[in-house]
Every structure is written in structure tokens, then in C-alpha cells.
């Protein structure tokens, strides 16, 4: 028996097509997610998200005359704890990379079923980086390519005094390693015998100390430092 009910997942749906936007919002609500708002374009998305503070923003990239990438950056500037899951008709690699670089936590194409979409929203709320199959490898591959192009090995750059990893506690480092391996906060809690909220607190503290915005950036950071290698 649970000692407390699970955290409620609040969602905002952003899409410039009213029928699609309303349909997705209705389907998610029917599956137990609380849709607190919808928005048709980037300026409205930033404004409404700031007012309603959803846990997850489900967002298209093509928003008519505006672009979802601008909305992602705008929302995260105001609500750094919010997680953004892109749901787009485009599977173009550059669109995926642009969204992730702006701060998106994941990326699905619109061919996903409602069951897949619901699961993705829940996993995003729980701290996972969720991608349509094949896209996660693209993102991590790009991060590795950028690291190589920048001349970074992930292990030898800079002195210890300059390494922000040294500001992390041992437990925060443990959590960082598991986040980078793709584990959700609940999975990490089980592995480390911690509460879900304690794991989330460690993640937020790590993001703050490393000046990062989301778990995708944490994963890149861990790859750069070799923290994903098995000992």
C-alpha cells in the first residue's frame, strides 16, 4: 500500500492545428494526465506555460509563423524545471538536434500511437530522455562528434580545480552516472535505495552546480567526463 499518492502529471499541449491539439489533449486527459493548458504558437506557449507551470510541455516544432525551438528556450528560461517533449511530424536530424540543443528532454514523431505518447509523457515527467527509436543514438552521436571537434577527451581537459564535477557529492555523482545511462528517477531510487523525491533533489542540485538545464545535457556532460564507462 502506498504511503502517498503518486505525483500528479500536469501537461500543456502546443500545436498550431486546433483539431490535432484538442485531440491530443483529450486523449491524454482520458488516460489520467491533467492537461492544464493548450497553446497555438510560440509566444502563447511561453506566456501560458509561465502562468500554468506544467510539469511537461508537449510541443510541435512547426508552429505556423513561429518555431517551437524559440518556445522551448523561452519556457526553460522562465521555468527551468519544466520538461519539454517534442511531438513533430518531422524526423529530420537537424530538427531533432536543434530541439535538444534548445533544451528539449525528448523527441517523438507524430506517427507514435497514443499509448506510446502517454508512456513518453509519463517517462519525461519521471526524468527520462525519451526519443523515437533511432533518434537517441543520433543525439548522443552528435554530442560525441562535437566533443571530438572541440578537442575534448572527457577526461583530461582542465585542472582538477577547474572541474565542476568535484563540487558534486558522492551520491550526486552516483545519480549522475545512472541518469546518463538512461534510467528514470524511479529506477534510480530503486537502485540506490532512495526515495523518488531524494533522487529528484540530487538531480536538481547537480543541474544547478553544473549550470545545466536538463537530463540530456547531463548525459552529454557525463559522456565528456567518461562517467558512463563501466568500471
Amino acid at each position: 500500500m502506498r504511503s502517498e499518492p503518486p505525483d500528479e502529471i500536469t501537461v500543456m499541449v502546443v500545436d498550431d492545428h486546433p483539431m490535432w491539439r484538442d485531440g491530443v489533449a483529450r486523449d491524454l486527459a482520458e488516460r489520467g494526465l491533467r492537461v492544464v493548458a493548450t497553446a497555438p504558437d510560440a509566444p502563447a506557449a511561453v506566456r501560458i506555460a509561465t502562468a500554468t507551470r506544467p510539469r511537461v510541455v508537449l510541443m510541435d516544432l512547426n508552429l505556423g509563423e513561429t518555431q517551437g525551438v524559440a518556445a522551448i528556450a523561452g519556457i526553460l528560461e522562465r521555468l527551468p524545471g519544466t520538461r519539454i517533449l517534442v511531438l513533430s511530424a518531422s524526423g529530420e536530424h537537424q530538427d531533432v538536434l536543434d530541439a535538444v540543443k534548445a533544451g528539449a528532454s525528448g523527441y517523438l514523431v507524430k506517427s507514435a500511437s497514443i499509448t506510446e505518447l502517454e508512456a513518453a509523457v509519463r517517462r519525461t515527467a519521471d526524468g527520462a530522455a525519451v526519443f523515437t527509436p533511432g533518434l537517441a543514438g543520433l543525439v548522443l552521436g552528435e554530442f560525441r562528434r562535437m566533443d571530438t571537434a572541440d578537442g575534448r577527451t572527457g577526461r583530461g581537459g582542465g585542472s582538477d580545480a577547474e572541474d565542476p564535477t568535484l563540487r558534486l557529492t558522492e551520491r550526486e555523482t552516483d545519480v549522475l552516472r545512472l541518469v546518463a545511462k538512461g534510467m528514470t528517477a524511479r529506477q534510480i531510487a530503486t537502485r540506490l535505495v532512495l526515495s523518488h523525491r531524494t533522487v529528484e533533489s540530487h538531480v536538481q542540485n547537480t543541474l544547478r552546480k553544473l549550470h545545466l538545464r536538463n537530463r540530456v545535457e547531463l548525459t552529454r556532460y557525463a559522456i565528456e567526463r567518461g562517467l558512463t564507462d563501466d568500471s
Side-chain angles (χ1 to χ4, degrees):
M1 183 175 181
R2 289 181 180 271
S3 59
E4 60 181 6
D7 293 339
E8 183 176 46
I9 298 175
T10 55
V11 184
M12 182 172 82
V13 180
V14 184
D15 197 291
D16 65 332
H17 291 90
M19 291 182 63
W20 178 272
R21 181 176 68 241
D22 295 343
V24 169
R26 181 181 61 251
D27 288 343
L28 292 178
E30 289 175 352
R31 289 173 175 255
L33 299 167
R34 186 158 77 90
V35 179
V36 296
T38 62
D41 55 42
V46 175
R47 184 178 67 254
I48 295 171
T50 303
T52 59
R53 305 181 71 84
R55 188 166 166 187
V56 177
V57 175
L58 183 64
M59 175 183 294
D60 193 6
L61 281 186
N62 186 357
L63 298 174
E65 296 182 356
T66 58
Q67 290 299 314
V69 169
I72 292 170
I75 290 170
L76 292 177
E77 181 180 357
R78 293 161 178 80
L79 303 171
T82 293
R83 299 182 179 100
I84 297 179
L85 175 62
V86 171
L87 179 63
S88 175
S90 171
E92 293 294 324
H93 290 182
Q94 193 59 53
D95 288 338
V96 179
L97 296 175
D98 287 346
V100 171
K101 289 173 183 176
S105 297
Y107 194 109
L108 292 185
V109 295
K110 285 186 174 180
S111 57
S113 69
I114 183 58
T115 299
E116 292 169 330
L117 179 57
E118 177 202 357
V121 171
R122 292 187 182 279
R123 291 190 64 215
T124 299
D126 204 28
V130 183
F131 292 87
T132 291
L135 297 183
L138 162 72
V139 172
L140 294 181
E142 175 66 8
F143 284 163
R144 288 190 176 99
R145 185 196 67 75
M146 291 170 61
D147 295 339
T148 301
D150 289 344
R152 291 176 292 188
T153 65
R155 296 175 189 264
S159 66
D160 287 347
E162 296 171 340
D163 187 355
T165 306
L166 298 180
R167 296 200 297 268
L168 302 181
T169 66
E170 181 178 355
R171 185 57 84 190
E172 287 167 351
T173 302
D174 290 340
V175 170
L176 171 59
R177 290 177 186 274
L178 297 178
V179 167
K181 289 179 181 293
M183 295 178 68
T184 69
R186 294 189 188 281
Q187 290 170 330
I188 294 170
T190 299
R191 171 74 69 86
L192 299 180
V193 194
L194 300 171
S195 73
H196 173 262
R197 294 191 182 200
T198 297
V199 171
E200 284 288 359
S201 177
H202 284 317
V203 171
Q204 292 305 314
N205 287 341
T206 301
L207 288 169
R208 176 178 52 79
K209 289 180 179 181
L210 300 180
H211 305 291
L212 302 175
R213 293 178 295 184
N214 55 47
R215 285 162 173 75
V216 176
E217 292 188 357
L218 277 180
T219 299
R220 178 186 179 184
Y221 181 92
I223 289 171
E224 291 175 355
R225 302 295 188 289
L227 296 176
T228 57
D229 295 345
D230 292 326
S231 301

